[in-house]
Amino acid sequence: MTQARDHGGDHWPIGPLRNRVAGPGASAWTRAAAHVASGTPVLPVLIVLAVVLVDLCGGAGMIWLPLLAAGPALAATTSGPRGVFCVGLLAVVLGAVVGARDGVPGRELVAVLSALAAVTLASGLSGALRGRRERVLAAVRSVAEAAQHALLRPVPATVGPFQVAVRYSAAAAEARIGGDLYALLSTPYGVRMIVGDVRGKGLPAVSTAALVLGVFREAAYDEPDLLAVVARIERSLARNLGCDDFVTAVVAGYPQTGYLEVVNCGHAPPLLVRASGSVVPVDPTHPAPPLGLRALTGETPSLQVLPFADGDQLLLYTDGVTEARNHRREFYPLAEGLARHWCDEPARTLTALHDELLAHVGGRLHDDAALLLLHKPAVPARVVADPVVADPPVAAPVVADPPVPAPVVADPVVSDLESDAGRDGCPGSLPSRGSRSRVVERTGVAAAPGVPLGSFTPCGRNGGR
């Protein structure tokens, strides 16, 4: 909160002098003198010294002495009672010295000094009353600023997926709010915002703006449909406004990615800035009356859906911007100014627009003006790294074991199969182990390895017993 200043621009306390003089080693009298000097205004002291210097140079005596009363009188406008009394005491002392030097008669000198003392007392009382009024004004101003902040809450730089910037200028002096209103909320149904202008100025317009903002903040969280939010504001204004009062407003919402909903109730069309830099006014497809006048016309507002891609911007404003005129009575070209100053930083864009607007009107606006810029920054593409495929393990070479040669068993040869008979009387049976012969000579078939000769007979019976 900014606090009211206790002194005007003509009062410069002698703080550095007190810090130098009233150090740790200074005496009590030195510290007291420095404390008194710290509250003494400089300009009234200079006026008193100038009067004394003129009198010393001109030697006019009584002609200049009454002008010493200008010192304490001026001190009452810029300082407290202590500063006034210090200047008055200085004026009385210097007046007595100069009067005695110039040979001013005692009765006349006493009259002049008495007048200086009376002026000093009156000025001190005036300074005390002024200080009290300034303290009361500072307290009232702090309460007013708290109420203004509660009504027009500061908007953060980032709300949901958007970058946001706001500029507001009230036409009333020492006021931060007026008939223009704005709000931006992140709700369960997406980001929602309102920018409006109340008919009229002053405290009645502030009261109506507070009513609209209160209903909007409540309905934006409760109503899933943006038209239902506008309907609740309309019903509240119909109960509380007079027959000739109304509010123009634009209510917008971002319910889903890529699309923006806009409801225009008799307000100036928003300006849509595409990522390419082109500025397009969003004119309503079905114009609707301002809020508070629906009962007179019977028309209901319509919902307008706009594509809103990454890099796009939307500027909401009030007529205090577009109706601002220069000394040649020319309106401020907002669309052209936005095309000149737009960038990816909403705060920089609005700062440039606001400065250009003030330069256009000559430094001060004569109507409330609000600017709200919404920017959806482009989401940087995510770089997806290629999956790393591990090389298959290299199998160790399989070294085949060298073949083990089978043991060669020399089969016995049977020379004459027809002449020999087995022990079991079967012709052609194998002989006993002791009389083996070569078998392959006549049959040409080798016996199976590992089968002992003599355990198989051509008759199919086991022998060799």
Side-chain angles (χ1 to χ4, degrees), residues 12 51 161 171 216 230 234 240 331 337 378:
W12 298 281
V51 172
F216 171 77
V230 177
E234 176 68 32
N240 295 280
F331 293 109

Side-chain angles (χ1 to χ4, degrees), residues 445-461:
V445 180
V451 179
L453 297 176
S455 63
F456 174 78
T457 63
C459 298
R461 297 194 305 268

